[in-house]
């Protein structure tokens, strides 16, 4: 009745930030292929800003995700030596 399992542990901290950031994401699509957009980014914004973002995306005829990926790509272009 008393099922004792080993306690869960937290993942260890990465040895180097650069190595950790560039490490591939382990998540995969259901068919085993790596998903094109496999990293998720969560930010907190005000309800007013969220509304403005949604309206802008609608006016441009794109999804919020597509518009924000495009904006972030323009703001943070690949650096010299980065892999695409």
């Amino acid at each position: 009745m008393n099922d004792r399992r080993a306690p869960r542990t937290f993942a260890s901290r990465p040895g180097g930030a650069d190595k950790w950031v560039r490490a591939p994401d382990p998540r995969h699509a259901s068919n085993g292929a790596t998903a094109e957009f496999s990293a998720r980014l969560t930010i907190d914004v005000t309800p007013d800003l969220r509304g403005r973002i949604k309206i802008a995306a609608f006016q441009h005829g794109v999804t919020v995700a597509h518009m924000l990926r495009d904006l972030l790509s323009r703001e943070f272009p690949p650096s010299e030596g980065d892999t695409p």
Side-chain angles (χ1 to χ4, degrees):
M1 289 259 227
N2 192 356
D3 184 19
R4 292 188 176 225
R5 295 182 182 158
R8 291 184 183 204
T9 59
F10 289 103
S12 62
R13 290 182 182 232
D18 192 53
K19 182 179 177 184
W20 176 69
V21 168
R22 296 184 191 287
D25 195 327
R27 290 180 285 183
H28 297 282
S30 60
N31 64 359
T34 303
E36 182 179 358
F37 300 112
S38 61
R40 188 164 301 273
L41 177 66
T42 303
I43 61 169
D44 294 324
V45 295
T46 64
D48 183 56
L49 177 57
R50 179 178 179 261
R52 293 194 316 261
I53 292 168
K54 289 178 75 170
I55 289 170
F58 178 79
Q59 290 173 336
H60 288 93
V62 297
T63 64
V64 169
H66 177 82
M67 185 181 73
L68 292 176
R69 280 192 296 265
D70 187 48
L71 177 126
L72 291 169
S73 293
R74 283 193 316 268
E75 187 66 28
F76 302 101
S79 300
E80 193 75 28
D82 282 352
T83 55

